[in-house]
Amino acid sequence: MRVSVIGCGHLGTPHAAAMAELGHEVLGVELNPDTCKILQTGRSVFYEKDLDELLDKHVSGGRLRFTTSLHEAADWADLHFIAVGTPLRSDGRGYDVGQVIGAVRALVPLLTRPATIIGKSTVTVGTAARLQEILDEHAGSPDVHLVWNPEFLREGHAIADTLRPDRIVVGLTAPEAEQAVRDAYAPILARGDAELIVTDPATAEVLKSAANAYLSTKISYINAMAEVCEITGADVATVAYGIGIDPRIGHAGMRPGIGYGGGCLPKDVAAFTHRVGELGATGAAGLLNAVEHINNARLDAARDLVEHAHGRPLDTATVAVLGASFKAGTSDVRNSPALHLAGLLHSSAASTVIHDPESVPAARRLHPEYTYADDLDTALRDADVVVLATDWPQFTQDPALPARAATRVRRQVLVDVRTAVDTDTWTDAGWTVHQLGRPVQRATV
Ligand SMILES: NC(=O)c1ccc[n+]([C@@H]2O[C@H](COP(=O)([O-])OP(=O)(O)OC[C@H]3O[C@@H](n4cnc5c(N)ncnc54)[C@H](O)[C@@H]3O)[C@@H](O)[C@H]2O)c1
């Protein structure tokens, strides 16, 4: 099939590469000419596991191209995926769906051949209905259909999740459009490991928001329990492990820490909270307000933990912050709790140096006022406290790191705000380890 992907950011770029991997001919449309130029060379403007390899393979093989011209896409493709951004409105009251409306409004009059528009961006419930009105009014051909196909990929696993999704949700009103979606995802559906859920557009929109809100609720729940453990002296890691054994609860998403971040969960929870409140679903709005409140409060708890671990006012501390991206596996620093925490430390510690294996350039662009180190050893030099803020395997899985880091720092104090390290490995190497909601683990040597 000939497929266009409109909007080549964190969702659209992996989607375009994955569609090419599935055997389609793909044209990515990206408005930003600088981004488009880089994509045309087979590279991404951000780090995502396996993405550059796949881009390079299919750009050089000729199956994947990029353009800034929507005209070219309209003339050429049978399917148009909409993957443009839906940032939070500046007043925080729901999404700004201007990019989605703008892209569809620009595309539809250009379509002179049968086509299916597949919306993947995360939107407020009711947006697909608004777009359908645009289609009804402006489509140049009667064979243009709209379906809503929300995306559930996890950043850091975008390629794997796009090629092997656990579900494909499709909201549609025109039954003819279902076949186009089946054709697009045919190799995945043929494997039989992804469930296809065909529903109406409103259900597809709510399903996506509800999934992200539930995930955020789970994260905030265990972080609220960490707060209870801090007060009572209990150990939240054991609590999380013990309750997660129950299959109705499960262990996934139950790691206490500085909460959720990134380009999706914070804005999706905020937008959904606002929308359900507007609709009069006061119970849901109250629950989601609490989820957001708990999430935001963890940053202050983490900052206080760093001060407590230092044992003196923070303005006497040199702090090394390991991690800036909002989670491991991506260079995305949008709404990153790691970078927010680094900001709090930057304004209260004597000195704060931030290191991340992939996201220093992006973090530097966003916060040029912070101090960064391009390598780990430089970041650790003379630190009084080391803060593990993003759970990169380089920081959490390298058994040699505790001993190596010990030779660089002034004091062996680790504050792991992701509950990610094996504490024995660090305490055996002479470190004292502090984690949110857990008793202090003291050095054993
Ligand atoms: N990031 C994720 O992992 C993820 C996962 C699931 C869903 N989503 C949703 O996908 C959507 C996109 O998110 P993102 O993180 O990729 O955003 P992003 O800001 O990284 O990318 C959006 C891109 O679209 C481009 N664009 C805007 N208008 C355009 C137009 N008319 N034509 C061509 N290009 C245009 C922008 O220049 C930008 O590069 C959002 O609704 C988001 O909530 C994202």
Side-chain angles (χ1 to χ4, degrees):
M1 287 182 105
R2 287 174 164 193
V3 166
S4 92
V5 178
I6 300 168
C8 293
H10 290 82
L11 166 64
T13 308
H15 191 72
M19 287 297 113
E21 182 71 4
L22 290 181
H24 301 303
E25 284 182 79
V26 183
L27 182 61
V29 184
E30 172 51 52
L31 209 56
N32 182 323
D34 297 332
T35 303
C36 189
K37 243 185 229 140
I38 295 171
L39 289 167
Q40 284 166 341
T41 67
R43 283 177 302 128
S44 173
V45 295
F46 52 86
Y47 173 77
E48 174 71 46
K49 192 168 173 286
D50 300 331
L51 178 58
D52 275 356
E53 290 77 357
L54 220 54
L55 285 174
D56 182 46
K57 174 177 162 190
H58 292 301
V59 168
S60 57
R63 210 188 278 165
L64 174 59
R65 295 177 296 123
F66 291 94
T67 179
T68 53
S69 165
L70 201 55
H71 233 294
E72 192 182 342
D75 286 345
W76 179 82
D78 314 306
L79 272 191
H80 301 277
F81 286 101
I82 306 291
V84 298
T86 51
L88 203 58
R89 276 167 44 169
S90 52
D91 59 7
R93 296 159 73 87
Y95 296 111
D96 176 351
V97 291
Q99 288 182 36
V100 176
I101 305 273
V104 172
R105 216 187 266 284
L107 174 69
V108 164
L110 302 177
L111 295 170
T112 51
R113 57 205 298 272
T116 307
I117 300 173
I118 305 186
K120 291 204 82 62
S121 302
T122 306
V123 294
T124 319
V125 54
T127 305
R130 277 176 74 186
L131 296 172
Q132 186 62 52
E133 286 171 16
I134 297 175
L135 225 74
D136 294 343
E137 215 174 305
H138 300 287
S141 155
D143 292 323
V144 178
H145 300 296
L146 174 74
V147 307
W148 213 257
N149 169 220
E151 178 56 56
F152 297 90
L153 69 80
R154 298 161 299 165
E155 277 187 65
H157 304 269
I159 294 295
D161 287 355
T162 310
L163 292 173
R164 294 193 167 270
D166 40 21
R167 77 212 107 156
I168 296 170
V169 176
V170 187
L172 46 81
T173 46
E176 311 89 284
E178 183 180 333
Q179 193 53 47
V181 177
R182 285 188 176 275
D183 292 345
Y185 294 116
I188 296 170
L189 295 170
R191 270 201 317 263
D193 48 3
E195 187 162 339
L196 178 69
I197 301 173
V198 180
T199 181
D200 57 88
T203 304
E205 290 167 324
V206 172
L207 198 159
K208 167 67 190 177
S209 298
N212 274 3
Y214 187 78
L215 194 54
S216 307
T217 305
K218 208 171 175 193
I219 295 167
S220 277
Y221 179 81
I222 201 61
N223 284 337
M225 292 308 109
E227 193 185 353
V228 173
C229 290
E230 276 149 29
I231 298 164
T232 57
D235 182 346
V236 71
T238 310
V239 171
Y241 178 70
I243 62 175
I245 285 173
D246 186 332
R248 293 170 303 172
I249 298 173
H251 285 122
M254 290 277 282
R255 186 136 51 82
I258 43 174
Y260 56 82
C264 290
L265 294 190
K267 79 171 165 102
D268 290 348
V269 175
F272 198 41
T273 307
H274 178 73
R275 186 68 182 134
V276 297
E278 221 173 39
L279 294 169
T282 49
L287 174 68
L288 296 174
N289 265 319
V291 167
E292 280 190 286
H293 176 77
I294 293 164
N295 199 57
N296 297 337
R298 294 321 281 165
L299 285 175
D300 290 328
R303 185 220 162 271
D304 292 350
L305 183 65
V306 175
E307 184 154 52
H308 173 77
H310 181 53
R312 275 166 274 174
L314 259 184
D315 59 9
T316 62
T318 295
V319 182
V321 177
L322 307 188
S325 55
F326 85 93
K327 66 174 182 176
T330 170
S331 58
D332 196 348
V333 293
R334 292 177 293 178
N335 244 314
S336 165
L339 207 50
H340 286 322
L341 176 59
L344 291 180
L345 296 170
H346 171 79
S347 52
S348 45
S351 115
T352 302
V353 182
I354 305 161
H355 168 70
D356 187 286
E358 297 291 344
S359 70
V360 167
R364 208 177 250 139
R365 274 194 299 278
L366 195 62
H367 286 292
E369 71 278 21
Y370 300 166
T371 306
Y372 299 92
D374 289 321
D375 70 283
L376 180 55
D377 285 343
T378 306
L380 292 169
R381 190 182 300 146
D382 294 333
D384 297 301
V385 185
V386 176
V387 178
L388 195 147
T390 307
D391 52 344
W392 286 98
Q394 290 92 321
F395 306 148
T396 61
Q397 312 282 312
D398 177 0
L401 181 60
R404 182 176 128 216
T407 65
R408 313 289 302 174
V409 298
R410 197 178 295 143
R411 293 174 65 217
Q412 287 180 257
V413 178
L414 177 71
V415 180
D416 168 18
V417 295
R418 294 290 187 176
T419 329
V421 302
D422 171 34
T423 50
D424 288 349
T425 314
W426 286 79
T427 54
D428 288 352
W431 290 78
T432 299
V433 181
H434 301 256
Q435 294 169 318
L436 288 157
R438 302 198 70 191
V440 180
Q441 314 282 311
R442 304 223 171 262
T444 53
V445 289

